Amino acid sequence: MMTCNEGNIYFQRIEAVRKIMRTKGLDAVVISGSDPHASEYPALRWKQVEWISGFTGEAGDIVITLDHAGLWTDTRYFIQAVEQLQGTGVELHKTRIPGEVRIPEWLAEVAFVDKRGPVIVALDGLSWNVSSVEMIKTAFKRAGRRHDESAELENGYKIVDMPDMLDQLWDDRPAVPVSPVITLGDDLTGESRQSKIASIRRFLEEVDCDSILFTALDEIAWTLNVRGSDVEYNPVVISYLLVTNDDVCWFVKKPVVGKLDSETLSSFAELEADGVMIRPYDDVELVFSGADCTELRHLYVDPATLNWHLYKAMASSSVKVKAGVSPIPLRKAVKNEIEISGMREAHLEDGLAMEKFLFWLETEMASGAEIDEWDAAVKLDSLRSQIPGYRGNSFETISAYGPSAALPHYVTHEVGSRKLEPRGLYLCDSGGQYLFGTTDITRTVPLGPCTDLEKEDYTLVLKGHIGLATAMFPAGTSGSQIDYAARSPLWKFKRDFGHGTGHGVGFFLNVHEGPQEIRHNFNSQPLLPGMISSDEPGLYREGMHGIRHENLLLCTDAGTNEFGSWRCFENLTLCHIDTAPVITDLLTDEEMAWLNAYNAEVYATLAPHLPEDVAEWLKTKTLPISE
């Protein structure tokens, strides 16, 4: 156990939770890093893990018992977690590693294995989805404990729902955010909300239900063709959506009456004209309390996104609930031709901003200017903001030099960030949100002379990137089945990276989406034409450097022959890959040909739209290399 500092504010907050636990007779409190909508990136109100522990990673949950506090997070955040948890009394529990013990198993088989009496676990049911709570129940059942609401059985357990449990301690807790709402026309989305709702009703016929409740924010935004900014970097609106055979009810917080901006007023009027009833956000629970006149008989829900608190309200009503996978993620992941066209436009504009940024960076470094990681991030943001249709970044820019880049999800601080020096490698992972698309790109570039190890690592990661970008695979292949294409060059040198290789990307929506993914974990979802995924292998050496090369790839149809139908990828990202650190002896002829062809395409596409000095510079950066 690490040394605790009783003056540490997070240590004090954890002790305050324990005081509540003693008062209420609780054995454990489990705090989620998510929100009532199972969001990967929660709004400030639901950053409960950060408030209680100081950990700022995007994935992490906390368990507090009377004698232990632990943070569960994955390989992307190990270094960051160790640094941020110092003095808090919170111990790091590593996930996505061999021998991992997840929260359900830890509660059932480790923390209370010797406890003779019942185990009482409290959680904020608003921020835990049904599937996650069921995993805790399953773990206790395997451990021989029986569910016991009376909490009297010696070998029993009870899970207590305490919605917004931290309110009594978190005095300045942010409110549920409310931001302006906009609607997107068919010219941008390629499909009307009426068409999408009609397809949902056809789905209801197939599953023999009369209604469906959507709780995931990106699914709701996609269905209604609405966007907002309730969650930083994600253009979504905090809400619930109920679709029945006859009605569409959108449960959403409106700005204070009389203070609605004209765009939101127009958007609400358009939605109502299309038959969407707009109701207060908190009224969703009334639908299942008997106080609402809405008649529901057979309701379909997705337990992976439905929060447990709302599910309990359903379970106590007369509504029959059917659990299953939401029909929206797969439809949303397969982009239509209008969306694909918009994404191509977004990557053209984004590529121009990236090349201007990299030109600025190299010029500034050559002049001896003093630049730190924050300065570089601000410069890139300013260039993107000049693009018509820009709606902010798609995630917090990772601007990382040298050892900073060894943290895959490094947080660039305005004060105290690392100064850039004319040597070694600089990594920038960033993206933009535009009315016509979403981008996500990582470039690692030399700021001066690099060590032999930096060059070798740089080249091996590039080989992995090319391996995935050039993959050819039969229809029906899942992302986990081609993950090897990106890792094989690294594995041959006994090197690896701990994060996924690729994730789906939304259309002017969340930068991370499913259901497809490219990673170790088995996921049976095939990669389908129209899906857009990232290609981002990496390599990280603690205290030294980090390297990642990332483009977005469009899955396309590669034709059919006597062996079946085939798929391949089309690169969407337009920004040169720096060849200076490349060890050509490590590249095959095919890899070198791909690299030269890619850089030539970048120059030919972008140069006509760049200022003359940037275009001339880009010409030199994209010259072909050879052995």
Side-chain angles (χ1 to χ4, degrees):
M1 177 74 72
M2 65 183 67
T3 302
C4 301
N5 177 4
E6 294 190 6
N8 184 289
I9 188 173
Y10 303 112
F11 178 79
Q12 294 172 0
R13 289 171 179 173
I14 291 169
E15 285 302 307
V17 171
R18 287 185 172 129
K19 184 176 180 180
I20 295 173
M21 292 171 61
R22 293 185 185 96
T23 301
K24 296 183 176 295
L26 305 175
D27 294 297
V29 166
V30 190
I31 299 173
S32 167
S34 189
D35 66 4
H37 306 275
S39 303
E40 178 184 14
Y41 301 97
L44 291 176
R45 174 175 179 78
W46 290 291
K47 291 194 174 183
Q48 300 176 92
V49 168
E50 181 177 340
W51 184 85
I52 200 74
S53 70
F55 174 70
T56 59
E58 295 153 3
D61 300 314
I62 294 276
V63 176
I64 300 172
T65 68
L66 294 176
D67 59 6
H68 181 84
L71 167 76
W72 273 254
T73 192
D74 62 58
T75 53
R76 296 171 293 172
Y77 305 105
F78 289 168
I79 300 172
Q80 176 182 339
V82 169
E83 293 177 354
Q84 293 183 327
L85 296 179
Q86 286 292 333
T88 65
V90 180
E91 181 178 324
L92 171 63
H93 291 252
K94 298 180 177 181
T95 64
R96 291 186 185 173
I97 61 170
E100 66 175 0
V101 179
R102 297 274 183 160
I103 286 175
E105 289 70 32
W106 188 84
L107 288 170
E109 301 170 13
V110 178
F112 305 108
V113 67
D114 296 323
K115 190 175 188 297
R116 295 178 61 86
V119 176
I120 304 177
V121 177
L123 50 80
D124 179 352
L126 285 170
S127 297
W128 281 92
N129 64 56
V130 175
S131 294
S132 295
V133 177
E134 289 301 320
M135 288 178 187
I136 296 175
K137 291 182 177 181
T138 299
F140 273 121
K141 183 178 180 180
R142 281 200 305 260
R145 288 190 178 271
R146 291 194 298 169
H147 184 255
D148 176 27
E149 281 296 325
S150 66
E152 294 176 354
L153 289 176
E154 186 171 305
N155 68 335
Y157 77 91
K158 180 181 180 180
I159 298 178
V160 181
D161 178 17
M162 294 178 62
D164 291 325
M165 66 168 70
L166 292 182
D167 274 3
Q168 55 192 303
L169 303 175
W170 193 348
D171 293 334
D172 57 349
R173 184 176 185 180
V176 177
V178 181
S179 67
V181 175
I182 65 170
T183 54
L184 303 181
D186 302 1
D187 58 325
L188 290 174
T189 65
E191 185 179 6
S192 69
R193 65 182 64 88
Q194 295 98 323
S195 172
K196 293 175 180 180
I197 290 168
S199 72
I200 290 170
R201 286 176 172 147
R202 289 193 294 271
F203 172 80
L204 288 175
E205 287 184 23
E206 295 171 6
V207 295
D208 196 24
C209 290
D210 57 37
S211 52
I212 183 170
L213 182 70
F214 295 106
T215 52
L217 303 182
D218 60 334
E219 295 182 28
I220 296 169
W222 180 88
T223 301
L224 295 180
N225 287 342
V226 299
R227 300 295 188 268
S229 55
D230 286 356
V231 180
E232 193 173 20
Y233 309 117
N234 300 308
V236 295
V237 182
I238 292 175
S239 56
Y240 297 95
L241 180 65
L242 178 67
V243 178
T244 74
N245 290 330
D246 302 310
D247 299 315
V248 179
C249 295
W250 190 29
F251 299 89
V252 59
K253 277 189 176 290
K254 291 184 180 181
V256 178
V257 175
K259 295 184 179 180
L260 282 170
D261 62 283
S262 59
E263 198 166 31
T264 300
L265 277 171
S266 175
S267 298
F268 283 169
E270 181 184 330
L271 288 161
E272 289 173 332
D274 285 341
V276 179
M277 293 184 288
I278 299 174
R279 299 183 53 180
Y281 177 71
D282 295 324
D283 276 10
V284 66
E285 203 167 334
L286 298 178
V287 175
F288 312 104
S289 68
D292 193 281
C293 62
T294 302
E295 293 185 5
L296 305 178
R297 294 184 300 276
H298 296 88
L299 175 70
Y300 190 93
V301 299
D302 188 338
T305 58
L306 175 66
N307 68 67
W308 192 53
H309 179 76
L310 196 52
Y311 174 74
K312 287 182 64 184
M314 296 175 185
S316 62
S317 72
S318 61
V319 179
K320 292 183 178 179
V321 176
K322 183 171 185 177
V325 177
S326 169
I328 298 302
L330 182 56
R331 282 209 61 204
K332 178 164 59 66
V334 178
K335 309 300 188 276
N336 59 48
E337 287 303 318
I338 298 296
E339 291 173 316
I340 291 171
S341 176
M343 290 291 272
R344 288 199 176 102
E345 180 183 358
H347 283 84
L348 171 64
E349 296 288 352
D350 203 75
L352 295 171
M354 279 296 302
E355 294 296 5
K356 292 174 185 177
F357 167 69
L358 293 174
F359 170 76
W360 169 86
L361 180 65
E362 186 169 303
T363 303
E364 290 294 294
M365 294 302 297
S367 72
E370 288 196 3
I371 304 170
D372 62 21
E373 296 164 331
W374 180 260
D375 296 330
V378 170
K379 178 63 177 181
L380 179 53
D381 290 352
S382 71
L383 291 168
R384 280 200 172 100
S385 68
Q386 297 171 23
I387 299 173
Y390 173 75
R391 289 282 174 149
N393 290 346
S394 56
F395 57 96
E396 186 174 11
T397 297
I398 300 172
S399 175
Y401 170 65
S404 298
L407 283 71
H409 279 236
Y410 173 70
V411 176
T412 308
H413 297 287
E414 182 175 1
V415 178
S417 67
R418 195 178 297 272
K419 179 183 175 183
L420 305 189
E421 300 177 23
R423 58 182 173 82
L425 296 170
Y426 166 76
L427 182 153
C428 185
D429 188 348
S430 66
Q433 293 283 11
Y434 307 96
L435 286 172
F436 39 82
T438 300
T439 65
D440 182 1
I441 175 176
T442 307
R443 286 296 181 264
T444 306
V445 297
L447 298 184
C450 295
T451 66
D452 290 343
L453 183 60
E454 287 173 325
K455 292 178 181 178
E456 188 173 86
D457 286 346
Y458 182 99
T459 307
L460 293 178
V461 175
L462 178 57
K463 286 170 68 70
H465 177 88
I466 296 171
L468 182 58
T470 57
M472 180 74 67
F473 47 95
T477 299
S478 69
S480 59
Q481 292 173 298
I482 60 171
D483 182 69
Y484 176 77
R487 295 182 189 267
S488 177
L490 292 162
W491 285 354
K492 287 180 180 177
F493 284 75
K494 298 179 180 178
R495 300 171 201 183
D496 201 3
F497 54 98
H499 55 74
T501 303
H503 56 81
V505 178
F507 169 80
F508 184 28
L509 258 179
N510 295 0
V511 74
H512 292 164
E513 71 170 20
Q516 84 276 20
E517 57 184 350
I518 303 171
R519 62 182 317 124
H520 281 325
N521 311 59
F522 179 71
N523 180 334
S524 62
Q525 174 59 54
L527 295 169
L528 302 173
M531 285 182 169
I532 295 175
S533 306
S534 66
D535 172 4
E536 50 180 313
L539 193 156
Y540 312 93
R541 295 184 184 272
E542 186 174 355
M544 298 175 65
H545 60 260
I547 297 158
R548 191 161 59 251
H549 303 302
E550 178 186 16
N551 281 6
L552 296 192
L553 307 176
L554 171 67
C555 182
T556 64
D557 187 341
T560 302
N561 61 13
E562 67 269 32
F563 298 101
S565 298
W566 296 87
R567 308 284 185 252
C568 64
F569 292 120
E570 172 194 332
N571 263 296
L572 293 178
T573 304
L574 291 166
C575 179
H576 80 278
I577 295 172
D578 203 306
T579 58
V582 172
I583 299 175
T584 56
D585 288 346
L586 290 177
L587 296 181
T588 65
D589 290 344
E590 291 79 7
E591 290 166 343
M592 195 173 301
W594 181 93
L595 179 58
N596 287 335
Y598 175 76
N599 277 344
E601 178 190 7
V602 168
Y603 175 74
T605 305
L606 299 184
H609 308 285
L610 288 168
E612 186 175 350
D613 55 346
V614 182
E616 283 299 313
W617 167 85
L618 182 59
K619 183 177 182 179
T620 65
K621 304 300 288 187
T622 55
L623 291 174
I625 59 171
S626 59
E627 293 183 9

